[in-house]
Amino acid sequence: MKITGPISVKIDAEGPNDIDLIYAAFGKTPGAGYLTSPRAVYSNTYTTGTFSIDPATYGVSGWTTFEVVVYDENGNRTHVIYRVYVQPAATPETIAPPTFITGVPMARAITLSKQVGYMSVNDSRSPVEIQAAPAGTNLYVELGWAKSPDDPGIAGYRIYRKLAEEANFKLIYTVGATGTATYTYRDGQPDLKVGVQVTYRITAYKGDAESSYIEASCTPLPPWDVRLLEPAHGETGVSLKPTFRWQPTQVVGAVQRYRVWLWDATHGWGWALISPYLINTTECLWTQLLVYPGYPTGGTPWERLQPHRTYEWYLDYAVVFDAFPTWTAASVAINDGATTAFPDVLPADIAQFTTGER
């Protein structure tokens, strides 16, 4: 099929099970928005009805693909690929390249310690059992760049990638030009590898004209996790001024950052204490905890915990970096809503303990 602009599409899905999700996109395999936006998505229906989809949104030109992915309610997946030709725009004489975002690396590798479900349109359904690389984790590289001076008068941006073990760069994706000041793309392809440097080049293009490139590299860190040590789960007779200790399953990266929460289990969610972000340490003193809400302006509300009372503690944030604050690789063991910079990764351990007399 030859395409010169937006087309009207109607997708009907059939199967023995109810249909959960129908995705469609030009030039890529569509899925959940975190890794594959933009894309068309319809949920809990056997048909999309007629809708319009524009290849310009995806920055594709020349020979490319139109791809449809369907999941039923049991997670069975069907993927259909159509080869299409998108008429290129007129070729300008020159195109200015994209630029770097000031103070932010263009490429950042992020490794998650646990599988996080990217399939569902509803994040509350995570985790969904989807295989990723390395096994048992999710690994992706987040790219960010500033627009070309010629944007929005261009077709889009081309992203090229080369792993350290490869000889040449290959085109992996195109991003449609929208005129926004900055762009983001997350590369979650399964051939990314822990410890293997990956280099990206990004160009601007229109028709047969393509700009020079900007380039950046990063090396993904291994996955890791954290185990709580003291006070241990179920421990009794704990000090009224406890020290909280934990241990990483392995030490990766150069900078480790943690945050501790302490809850009054008797009062449930009535109050909590929270530590500041702790750097390159595996313990938190009672005196380091601050009252929440009111953090970071609050202080420890009491001189000690109450005797013979049950409390609960855990880490809501455990992330390592290759450097900080300007980093190119992070490995997330835990992110229980502490930051929107990474997907949520829930803690493996939550420890409940009971205090003693003193």
Side-chain angles (χ1 to χ4, degrees):
M1 182 178 182
K2 186 176 182 179
I3 298 171
T4 57
I7 61 172
S8 294
V9 177
K10 180 174 179 285
I11 302 168
D12 295 323
E14 298 179 358
N17 301 316
D18 289 341
I19 301 302
D20 184 13
L21 293 160
I22 302 174
Y23 293 112
F26 281 102
K28 63 180 175 182
T29 301
Y34 192 80
L35 289 179
T36 69
S37 281
R39 80 282 189 255
V41 56
Y42 294 83
S43 59
N44 300 315
T45 181
Y46 282 85
T47 181
T48 63
T50 301
F51 68 96
S52 179
I53 186 167
D54 189 348
T57 302
Y58 302 87
V60 293
S61 181
W63 283 107
T64 185
T65 59
F66 178 72
E67 305 190 27
V68 176
V69 174
V70 179
Y71 289 94
D72 71 13
E73 290 290 349
N74 285 347
N76 297 305
R77 177 179 181 274
T78 298
H79 183 187
V80 182
I81 302 174
Y82 300 90
R83 188 159 171 81
V84 297
Y85 183 83
V86 177
Q87 182 65 42
T91 301
E93 291 185 5
T94 61
I95 295 181
T99 57
F100 295 103
I101 301 174
T102 303
V104 180
M106 189 187 90
R108 286 177 157 179
I110 294 133
T111 307
L112 307 179
S113 65
K114 303 173 183 67
Q115 288 183 313
V116 175
Y118 290 122
M119 182 184 75
S120 177
V121 72
N122 181 355
D123 287 343
S124 66
R125 291 179 51 192
S126 297
V128 177
E129 292 299 325
I130 295 179
Q131 296 301 310
T137 71
N138 278 310
L139 170 62
Y140 63 94
V141 174
E142 184 165 292
L143 302 174
W145 66 95
K147 70 175 185 178
S148 160
D150 293 327
D151 188 348
I154 61 174
Y157 300 91
R158 289 173 172 158
I159 300 174
Y160 298 87
R161 189 189 69 189
K162 183 176 78 71
L163 298 175
E165 58 201 24
E166 296 173 337
N168 301 308
F169 283 86
K170 63 180 179 181
L171 177 65
I172 62 167
Y173 197 69
T174 56
V175 175
T178 63
T180 58
T182 61
Y183 290 83
T184 299
Y185 168 67
R186 297 182 180 98
D187 176 18
Q189 295 186 17
D191 46 356
L192 294 171
K193 299 176 183 179
V194 162
V196 176
Q197 185 183 67
V198 55
T199 303
Y200 294 88
R201 291 177 176 175
I202 302 177
T203 66
Y205 88 98
K206 182 179 180 181
D208 294 329
E210 187 169 6
S211 74
S212 57
Y213 58 81
I214 55 174
E215 180 178 298
S217 300
C218 58
T219 303
L221 293 171
W224 65 295
D225 212 335
V226 180
R227 293 296 176 263
L228 305 184
L229 300 180
E230 300 177 18
H233 182 64
E235 186 175 349
T236 60
V238 173
S239 168
L240 303 183
K241 297 180 180 181
T243 296
F244 302 90
R245 294 185 174 90
W246 56 91
Q247 184 177 36
T249 55
Q250 64 172 323
V251 177
V252 302
V255 179
Q256 296 82 42
R257 303 186 82 224
Y258 302 94
R259 193 168 72 173
V260 175
W261 280 78
L262 174 66
W263 293 92
D264 184 330
T266 303
H267 284 171
W269 297 86
W271 66 263
L273 301 181
I274 184 173
S275 77
Y277 287 101
L278 305 169
I279 301 174
N280 291 346
T281 183
T282 55
E283 70 174 28
C284 175
L285 304 177
W286 158 254
T287 53
Q288 292 177 276
L289 296 177
L290 305 170
V291 66
Y292 181 90
Y295 171 79
T297 59
T300 306
W302 308 290
E303 292 183 358
R304 58 176 174 78
L305 296 176
Q306 298 299 303
H308 306 293
R309 196 174 187 90
T310 301
Y311 297 90
E312 192 170 82
W313 78 282
Y314 68 100
L315 300 175
D316 81 325
Y317 181 89
V319 182
V320 298
F321 301 89
D322 61 346
F324 197 84
T326 302
W327 54 274
T328 62
S331 183
V332 182
I334 302 169
N335 178 40
D336 191 5
T339 175
T340 58
F342 313 116
D344 283 356
V345 181
L346 299 181
D349 292 344
I350 297 177
Q352 194 172 91
F353 65 90
T354 303
T355 54
E357 286 285 347
R358 56 184 180 179

